[in-house]
Amino acid sequence: MASDPLLDPLNDAQRRAVMHATGPALVVAGAGSGKTRTVVHRIAYLMREHAVRPHEVLAVTFTNKAAGELRERVSELIGPPARDLWVATFHSACLRVLRTYGDHVGLERGFGIYDDGDQLDVLKDVLQSVRGLEDGNPRALRSVIDRAKSNLWSPEAFEEAAGRAWGREVGGLPIELVGEVFARYQARLRQANAVDFNDILGRTVELFDAAPEVLERVQQRAVFVHVDEYQDTNAAQYRLTQQLAGERRNLVAVGDPDQSIYAFRGADLRNILDFQRDYHDAAVYRLETNYRSVGSVLKLANALIEQNQGRLEKVLRPAKGDGEPVALFRANDHRAEADFVAREVEAWLAQGGSYDDVAVLYRTNAQSRVVEESLRKAGIPAKIVGGVGFYERKEVKDVLSYARAALNPADDVSWRRILARPKRGIGRTTEDALVAWAARQRVRFSDAVLRAEEVVPGTGAVARLRDFAALMDDLAEAAATLSATAFLKAVLDQSGYLQALRDEGSFEARGRMENLDELVSAVAEWEDETGGGIGDFLDEAALLASVDDRAVAAANDDVPASSVTLMTLHNAKGLEFPLVLLVGLEEGLIPHRSASGSLPELEEERRLLYVGITRAQERLVLVHCASRMTFGRTEFARPSRFLEDVPRGMWQEVDALGQPQSGGRGGGPGALPRPSRGGWTPPVVGAGGASAGTGAPAAAPVSFRGGERVRHPSFGGGTVVGVRGEGAKAEVTVVFEKAGAKRLLLRFANLSPA
């Protein structure tokens, strides 16, 4: 029998998906299961077997890189006809439509596209026109407006829709005021004949609804629709997909619910979970053969993710052998954790590996600092993906600039940097006036601030500059009298910088707060080691920053130097490495402290860890600490509850040198030291739900860690989503099916297994 270049390279599941002809289909593509190959071969198969013309095929991806790879691989199979395929991101596909038909929704030819900076500029102007919001945070409002647009909420519908979803306040502001800002912002965009990034999707949905004839023309160019990463679609992308599929319903959605990790961007897991509800006759193909990871990694990944309720059933099976066991190391503290990482990298090199083989993954950007320092001390080159060196991050530079300004009134650069960070009603016009006056008088910028009444007489800025000058006087005194750590905490508190980030409340602001938390810890740790003051630390930080600059420049300029990759779990999606070191597997980090309030958030954190685990090709090393420094204090750290999801024997505990500990491969949650498992012991619960001592027969102790099904005498059935406190103050948070979320004192909760 003659070989078939389209079908022979595929496994059975891939082949069935490729041969799917018409009608809706869902391809549940597990990590490393060859989903791109499946889509590529299906497009080629449609053209060969069903005479589908290239200009009838649309393939939508989420990144330009993915679109380029798909187009290139189809071209390798079918040659020049691939040029006529429509392969694009959601945004580029919609922009193409709007450029052609935008006049149907009031967009004139040549309309502009506002980027993030443009959005902020417009919002700053709008805020000055809304009474009570003159000093509002434009970044926070931009985040709210972006979320609203991803949900397809118009300014007119915002108040009602957002009120149902978020309550009567957003970011500490009344929903009515936010709605007014949204309406004025959108009016400004229309007046300027412009759209922002989210408008590109929303205005296309609006166009298709307003002009069915336009939709019909576009559908003729998209007879066969493929959507990659369907689990990451938001409401706007979901609606676009429905519109394009239309009555033909030739839609193939490819994705994996177990890798849905972008809810903070508006991704809605229900879009893929409910695909068969939307298309009741849809064919479902499960790609479960994993070509990336060894069996030991996949066994652990499967055991972890099966604890989630919001998923489509599948089990990854390795095309490779079992490989070496997953390693687990319990470090004494974050320093020992980072040093262990460096030793593991050195051991990998000694075995013939390269730096490029290695990735260190963590939940938050702030965790990179100590790892960066340990690798640098060991002479190991590293690059940060999706970020910059710790001491070059904006918020870190801002706060250290406060310290420099407090110590040195002649440091004009630092004084100017902090003048409006955070916003305090001192605008660019005032700053320019201060700079010009200082230049004319040949004095320092700080002198101009102190003589504000001469520089900007009769303006409202005078009082604000006076307050700023008083703040700097206080900080100068604090720098001379307080320890380095205490001084830095005073800066964060008195400057209002930390409070401004709290008020913003965005995902980005949370990350910045974590970096500042890590900065305080860095200063406290350095102070313990050296006994130096804040001025000495600034010198040290300047040297560290210069090293960061070189490392990041090398990464960004594609310098051909082999290096270890450092990145967050979110940034690791879609990548793979022979050796993955996953650090910080502790409560408060993974699951993150901000995500323990509901079952959906907890399950997304578990998916995030699953994504990290499935990046490993040959070796996976998990690390957690017995203690970690937080905001300058060393605190006890509990291992992540997700470690308890994994049965015994799926990892091998190792010592600080990476060698198996005595006891061999008997690792698992039961092997973790008892003090690190929790901090409280739950009461003994009887068969009928009564606590020990009430006369009811006692059952085995119940150890809640999140996800358990329980029953309450009054509230009925529910799911445990969080535990906090110790002893008599231990609390459990349960989401009940009828009564909603309840926080209960555990000793009085009277819960029984459901």
Side-chain angles (χ1 to χ4, degrees):
M1 180 180 295
S3 63
D4 187 333
L6 294 186
L7 298 180
D8 287 352
L10 308 175
N11 62 39
D12 288 343
Q14 291 172 333
R15 195 175 296 117
R16 288 193 298 273
V18 164
M19 296 175 69
H20 178 87
T22 57
L26 174 63
V27 180
V28 183
S33 63
K35 68 183 176 87
T36 303
R37 168 181 286 189
T38 302
V39 173
V40 166
H41 282 247
R42 179 173 191 262
I43 291 172
Y45 191 82
L46 283 172
M47 295 170 61
R48 189 186 76 180
E49 298 296 323
H50 300 282
V52 172
R53 291 169 290 184
H55 64 262
E56 295 177 317
V57 177
L58 169 63
V60 182
T61 69
F62 269 79
T63 66
N64 290 316
K65 178 182 177 182
E69 180 188 356
L70 196 150
R71 188 183 296 107
E72 181 179 341
R73 290 175 63 171
V74 174
S75 181
E76 290 173 358
L77 279 179
I78 68 175
R83 291 195 300 264
D84 295 327
L85 296 171
W86 191 3
V87 181
T89 64
F90 270 105
H91 286 87
S92 62
C94 288
L95 183 57
R96 177 173 168 179
V97 171
L98 288 177
R99 288 295 185 197
T100 306
Y101 303 108
D103 59 304
H104 288 74
V105 287
L107 287 173
E108 300 174 14
R109 186 177 299 276
F111 63 83
I113 302 172
Y114 281 9
D115 62 17
D116 288 352
D118 298 326
Q119 283 184 274
L120 289 176
D121 288 342
V122 174
L123 281 168
K124 288 173 185 175
D125 287 344
V126 168
L127 287 173
Q128 298 307 308
S129 68
V130 180
R131 188 173 182 181
L133 285 183
E134 293 85 355
D135 293 326
N137 187 327
R139 291 184 182 275
L141 288 163
R142 182 185 66 187
S143 176
V144 172
I145 290 172
D146 285 347
R147 287 164 62 194
K149 289 187 176 184
S150 71
N151 283 316
L152 293 177
W153 297 341
S154 66
E156 295 75 23
F158 173 80
E159 188 175 332
E160 181 181 351
R164 286 198 308 269
W166 304 331
R168 301 310 302 172
E169 285 193 354
V170 182
L173 296 175
I175 203 79
E176 299 85 357
L177 277 181
V178 178
E180 185 176 349
V181 171
F182 185 10
R184 296 191 185 196
Y185 167 79
Q186 202 62 17
R188 286 283 301 272
L189 260 61
R190 290 182 183 273
Q191 181 182 356
N193 189 36
V195 297
D196 61 26
F197 201 59
N198 283 288
D199 274 334
I200 293 173
L201 303 182
R203 299 301 299 275
T204 305
V205 171
E206 179 187 346
L207 168 63
F208 287 159
D209 284 340
E213 69 280 7
V214 171
L215 175 58
E216 186 176 347
R217 286 180 212 154
V218 176
Q219 286 171 335
Q220 291 170 0
R221 186 67 178 82
V223 178
F224 293 87
V225 181
H226 304 76
V227 180
D228 192 16
E229 304 287 8
Y230 196 72
Q231 78 279 353
D232 293 332
T233 53
N234 60 28
Q237 291 156 338
Y238 171 81
R239 177 74 179 126
L240 282 165
T241 300
Q242 305 295 304
Q243 290 174 318
L244 291 170
E247 295 182 0
R248 291 193 182 96
R249 304 166 73 250
N250 291 327
L251 170 63
V252 174
V254 184
D256 181 9
D258 292 339
Q259 297 186 76
S260 178
I261 59 172
Y262 296 121
F264 68 93
R265 295 181 185 167
D268 191 341
L269 180 63
R270 293 172 298 179
N271 293 347
I272 191 168
L273 294 181
D274 293 343
F275 188 86
Q276 289 173 275
R277 183 200 65 188
D278 296 334
Y279 300 96
H280 60 86
D281 57 337
V284 179
Y285 306 98
R286 287 178 168 80
L287 307 186
E288 298 177 296
T289 301
N290 176 287
Y291 296 94
R292 175 188 299 154
S293 305
V294 295
S296 59
V297 171
L298 295 184
K299 286 178 184 176
L300 187 141
N302 288 330
L304 173 74
I305 203 63
E306 70 182 12
Q307 303 297 321
N308 272 11
Q309 296 178 20
R311 63 189 303 262
L312 299 174
E313 196 61 39
K314 75 171 189 311
V315 177
L316 292 180
R317 300 181 180 87
K320 300 178 179 179
D322 279 347
E324 60 180 293
V326 174
L328 174 72
F329 175 61
R330 179 176 183 265
N332 286 333
D333 57 27
H334 57 295
R335 278 288 175 197
E337 174 185 64
D339 291 342
F340 173 80
V341 167
R343 286 192 295 272
E344 281 290 300
V345 175
E346 291 171 334
W348 180 262
L349 257 71
Q351 296 167 13
S354 73
Y355 292 128
D356 288 330
D357 294 340
V358 185
V360 183
L361 308 183
Y362 35 78
R363 175 63 177 85
T364 68
N365 272 310
Q367 291 170 259
S368 71
R369 178 189 65 87
V370 184
V371 177
E372 288 176 70
E373 292 177 3
S374 286
L375 293 179
R376 185 181 63 254
K377 289 175 183 176
I380 297 172
K383 62 183 177 184
I384 302 172
V385 174
V388 297
F390 181 80
Y391 290 99
E392 285 303 299
R393 292 170 190 168
K394 174 183 178 295
E395 59 280 5
V396 173
K397 291 189 72 171
D398 286 348
V399 171
L400 292 183
S401 290
Y402 269 98
R404 292 190 182 96
L407 289 170
N408 182 11
D411 186 346
D412 286 3
V413 171
S414 293
W415 274 75
R416 290 187 62 182
R417 182 181 182 93
I418 63 177
L419 185 65
R421 298 184 184 182
K423 289 183 63 176
R424 47 175 58 92
I426 302 173
R428 187 58 181 266
T429 301
T430 300
E431 182 184 347
D432 290 343
L434 292 166
V435 171
W437 190 89
R440 288 195 304 271
Q441 301 296 323
R442 297 184 180 181
V443 298
R444 300 174 299 194
F445 182 83
S446 58
D447 292 327
V449 171
L450 294 172
R451 296 167 67 177
E453 292 180 355
E454 297 178 44
V455 181
V456 284
T459 68
V462 171
R464 300 185 187 102
L465 287 168
R466 190 182 298 123
D467 290 342
F468 177 68
L471 165 67
M472 296 311 299
D473 279 344
D474 290 344
L475 292 180
E477 183 178 347
T481 58
L482 298 179
S483 69
T485 307
F487 169 74
L488 199 63
K489 290 180 178 179
V491 169
L492 292 172
D493 179 40
Q494 295 178 34
S495 69
Y497 200 99
L498 204 56
Q499 187 59 49
L501 291 173
R502 290 193 190 102
D503 292 342
E504 180 175 330
S506 67
F507 183 82
E508 181 186 31
R510 267 204 318 271
R512 295 189 186 282
M513 290 169 64
E514 288 165 351
N515 285 333
L516 293 178
D517 183 348
E518 183 63 20
L519 176 61
V520 173
S521 295
V523 172
E525 195 170 36
W526 176 87
E527 189 175 18
D528 286 343
E529 292 175 359
T530 68
I534 188 62
D536 300 317
F537 178 81
L538 291 175
D539 292 342
E540 180 81 4
L543 295 174
L544 291 170
S546 66
V547 175
D548 285 344
D549 278 345
R550 288 194 293 273
V552 175
N556 292 343
D557 295 340
D558 295 323
V559 173
S562 179
S563 56
V564 173
T565 299
L566 309 182
M567 69 175 80
T568 64
L569 289 165
H570 282 102
N571 283 327
K573 180 127 183 295
L575 303 177
E576 56 188 38
F577 300 89
L579 169 61
V580 168
L581 296 132
L582 217 163
V583 300
L585 285 176
E586 297 143 34
E587 289 292 302
L589 286 176
I590 181 79
H592 193 270
R593 62 181 65 89
S594 67
S596 58
S598 70
L599 186 60
E601 290 177 339
L602 189 64
E603 293 203 340
E604 174 141 336
E605 291 289 299
R606 188 180 280 114
R607 291 193 295 270
L608 187 56
L609 179 56
Y610 174 82
V611 165
I613 288 170
T614 53
R615 301 309 96 195
Q617 294 173 290
E618 305 296 335
R619 176 167 168 77
L620 173 66
V621 182
L622 310 175
V623 191
H624 70 95
C625 295
S627 65
R628 186 175 293 274
M629 185 168 282
T630 303
F631 205 64
R633 299 186 302 272
T634 298
E635 296 182 347
F636 169 74
R638 295 195 316 175
S640 168
R641 70 189 74 183
F642 297 148
L643 290 174
E644 300 179 13
D645 291 338
V646 181
R648 293 179 61 89
M650 285 198 176
W651 63 56
Q652 183 177 66
E653 291 194 65
V654 298
D655 61 22
L657 298 177
Q659 300 301 310
Q661 291 189 344
S662 59
R665 293 189 58 176
L672 296 177
R674 179 62 187 170
S676 67
R677 289 282 307 278
W680 59 276
T681 302
V684 175
V685 179
S691 297
T694 62
V702 179
S703 179
F704 294 122
R705 52 186 170 79
E708 296 88 352
R709 296 285 300 162
V710 295
R711 179 164 295 280
H712 185 274
S714 302
F715 302 134
T719 302
V720 176
V721 299
V723 179
R724 60 183 293 178
E726 300 180 2
K729 295 183 179 180
E731 296 178 343
V732 61
T733 302
V734 183
V735 177
F736 292 101
E737 294 161 3
K738 296 182 179 179
K742 300 287 183 182
R743 181 177 292 170
L744 309 168
L745 271 175
L746 192 56
R747 60 180 175 147
F748 299 128
N750 212 15
L751 298 174
S752 60

